[in-house]
Every structure is written in structure tokens, then in C-alpha cells.
């Protein structure tokens, strides 16, 4: 798949910030697949569905309409769920607590993977997530797997301070990231895993700009 860039890795490795910058600089679309799993989790919460009721969650995912758009200044990727901007709502502490369980449900994954593949079919797209290089777009022209130490990833999330309303501490963020990584890596259906042909980048000691440049150099040189 020409002009398709797949970026995978654990929480807080810098995927979404880097993917967004790359997309803007290359004039590609950007698709944040994690936001879609978060949105389905939000639907379950707002409809008061028990998280053990997989059937109901799958039916909510089936009916969901997703639309991505950059904010006017291109600094943010907004997600509209059934027409409503949920970009902020999907970053709450509650969503962080439940999203990895929702992402284990095979029926939910099947529906979202299909939607993600449709959204990528015209190329010129950067997509980030956990299973992009292994399952969603195994034929992507470029595949990257970003990682960093748990401490660095937790610190970055803490600095983003996205959920300051929730009053979450560094320690709580670290524990949530660790738990999600474990669930994401050990689940049965398309677990978080580096694709064999993905290029591994440890971002622990690099700035966002440095990683973006690194990726662009690799793309240009091939
Ligand atoms: O931004 P952060 O790294 O915290 O997570 P995210 O990319 O928003 O993804 C949230 C959760 O969705 C992950 O922890 C996974 O459980 C799930 N996910 C997934 O299973 N497959 C994807 N392609 C993307 C996200």
C-alpha cells in the first residue's frame, strides 16, 4: 500500500503527536485508531451498558459513525462520534480505566478494523494504534514501532496534563499505562506487537521533532 504509514507502540510512546505532525507535514490524513476504541468505551458508559455485556457493546460499535477532522490551527485531531465532538470526553480517567477491556472484544475489533481499512483505502494516510502494522494495514509501505521506558511515557502523559479535571497523579498514570500495556500485549485478538518488518524507534531520549525527522529521513531514503 503506497503512501500508507503505520505506527504502533505502547501508550505514551509519542505515536499520536508524531503521527499528527507527520500527516500535517506530508499533507496526509491522520487516523487515530485508539480514539475509536475510546469512543466505543464512551458509548458504553453513556448508555450505562455493563462492560461484561459484550453483545450490547458490539451493537453500539456497529451503529457508531466516526469522523476525523483537524482543528482549524491543525494542532489537534478532532473525533466526531455520531456527529458530536467527543475529542475531550474520550480522554477521561474513566475511559482510560475501561478502554483496554473494550478493545479485547473480538466483535468490536472486527467492526473497527473494517472501518479503519475503509478510511485508509485511498492512501496518503498515517494511522496509529496497536495492530496497524500487524492486522489493519499489513501491506503498509512504511511501518514503525515506537517505544520508550515506562517512566518516560508516564512522565509525558503527566506533562500533557490532558485530564487535569480528573486530578490524576504521576503514579496513577504510570499504573494505568502499565496495566493497559499488559492487557493490550496479552489479549487473544491482535495483541500489541511489533510487526516483523516494522522499524523500531526508542524515543526515550529523543524529542518529538527528532523522531519526526528520523521517520522522514527513512521515508525519503527508500
Ligand atoms: O493514547 P494512548 O496511547 O494512551 O492510547 P490510545 O492510542 O488512545 O489507545 C487506547 C486503547 O485502545 C489502548 O490501550 C488499546 O487498548 C486500544 N487500542 C487497540 O486495542 N488497538 C488499536 N489499534 C488502538 C488502540
Amino acid at each position: 500500500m503506497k503512501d500508507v504509514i503505520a505506527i504502533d507502540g505502547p501508550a505514551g510512546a509519542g505515536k499520536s503527536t508524531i503521527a499528527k505532525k507527520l500527516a500535517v507535514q506530508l499533507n496526509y490524513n491522520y487516523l487515530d485508531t485508539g480514539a475509536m476504541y475510546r469512543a466505543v468505551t464512551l458509548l458504553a458508559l453513556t448508555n450505562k451498558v455493563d462492560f461484561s455485556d459484550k453483545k450490547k457493546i458490539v451493537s453500539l460499535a456497529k451503529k457508531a459513525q466516526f469522523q476525523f477532522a483537524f482543528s482549524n490551527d491543525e494542532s489537534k485531531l478532532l473525533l466526531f462520534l455520531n456527529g458530536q465532538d467527543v475529542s475531550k470526553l474520550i480522554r477521561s480517567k474513566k475511559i482510560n480505566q475501561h478502554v483496554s477491556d473494550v478493545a479485547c472484544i473480538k466483535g468490536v475489533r472486527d467492526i473497527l478494523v473494517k472501518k479503519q481499512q475503509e478510511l485508509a483505502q485511498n492512501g496518503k494516510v498515517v494511522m496509529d494504534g496497536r495492530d496497524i502494522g500487524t492486522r489493519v494495514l499489513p501491506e503498509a509501505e512504511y511501518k514503525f514501532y515506537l517505544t520508550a521506558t515506562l517512566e518516560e511515557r508516564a512522565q509525558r502523559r503527566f506533562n500533557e496534563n490532558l485530564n487535569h479535571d480528573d486530578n490524576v497523579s504521576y503514579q496513577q498514570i504510570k499504573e494505568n499505562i502499565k496495566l493497559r500495556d499488559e492487557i493490550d500485549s496479552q489479549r487473544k485478538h491482535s495483541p500489541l506487537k511489533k510487526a516483523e518488518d516494522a522499524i523500531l524507534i526508542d524515543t526515550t531520549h529523543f524529542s518529538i521533532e527528532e523522531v519526526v525527522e528520523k521517520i522522514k529521513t527513512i521515508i525519503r531514503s527508500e
Side-chain angles (χ1 to χ4, degrees):
M1 287 183 89
K2 235 182 105 46
D3 299 332
V4 172
I5 304 175
I7 304 182
D8 289 301
K15 299 182 303 291
S16 59
T17 318
I18 287 158
K20 193 166 54 197
K21 282 193 186 285
L22 265 177
V24 169
Q25 292 179 24
L26 297 170
N27 206 13
Y28 279 22
N29 284 318
Y30 166 42
L31 211 121
D32 172 359
T33 63
M36 296 169 80
Y37 290 94
R38 288 173 177 273
V40 174
T41 311
L42 178 67
L43 281 175
L45 279 171
T46 47
N47 287 281
K48 300 196 170 31
V49 177
D50 195 290
F51 283 102
S52 61
D53 190 347
K54 295 184 186 172
K55 243 177 134 173
K56 188 81 215 288
I57 298 178
V58 171
S59 86
L60 287 172
K62 205 174 273 173
K63 282 184 274 174
Q65 302 268 1
F66 301 91
Q67 233 184 327
F68 285 99
F70 276 115
S71 57
N72 286 340
D73 65 358
E74 295 187 325
S75 68
K76 283 190 217 116
L77 182 78
L78 307 176
L79 173 59
F80 294 84
L81 170 66
N82 300 329
Q84 187 201 352
D85 180 0
V86 293
S87 319
K88 219 170 159 191
L89 290 175
I90 58 170
R91 307 282 158 195
S92 73
K93 184 172 163 186
K94 256 216 138 100
I95 303 279
N96 282 336
Q97 280 165 349
H98 295 288
V99 63
S100 286
D101 293 327
V102 169
C104 284
I105 304 172
K106 184 177 180 297
V108 170
R109 300 205 73 81
D110 290 345
I111 290 162
L112 295 193
V113 167
K114 195 158 168 270
K115 289 186 198 273
Q116 291 154 11
Q117 289 169 335
E118 284 165 7
L119 288 164
Q121 67 188 358
N122 294 329
K124 287 201 180 301
V125 68
V126 185
M127 196 179 287
D128 82 340
R130 303 293 188 286
D131 57 343
I132 312 305
T134 53
R135 171 155 189 221
V136 183
L137 306 171
E139 306 298 325
E141 187 174 16
Y142 300 104
K143 295 184 191 179
F144 296 93
Y145 188 90
L146 304 187
T147 185
T149 61
L150 174 63
E151 288 69 24
E152 174 66 22
R153 293 187 285 118
Q155 190 62 51
R156 288 176 187 172
R157 270 297 138 85
F158 183 68
N159 295 348
E160 277 173 9
N161 201 17
L162 276 176
N163 304 314
H164 59 276
D165 294 339
D166 284 337
N167 217 352
V168 204
S169 69
Y170 165 82
Q171 200 54 37
Q172 286 170 321
I173 292 179
K174 189 171 152 187
E175 273 156 28
N176 174 259
I177 283 182
K178 187 162 178 271
L179 181 65
R180 279 202 286 133
D181 285 353
E182 275 163 17
I183 302 174
D184 293 346
S185 314
Q186 288 163 18
R187 71 175 172 231
K188 187 167 165 213
H189 308 291
S190 39
L192 165 67
K193 200 172 124 206
K194 179 186 164 301
E196 271 176 26
D197 52 352
I199 296 171
L200 175 74
I201 303 180
D202 183 340
T203 70
T204 308
H205 302 292
F206 293 117
S207 68
I208 294 291
E209 295 306 335
E210 284 171 324
V211 180
V212 170
E213 278 315 309
K214 225 180 228 295
I215 292 180
K216 277 168 55 187
T217 307
I218 293 169
I219 290 173
R220 281 193 217 105
S221 70
E222 287 199 7

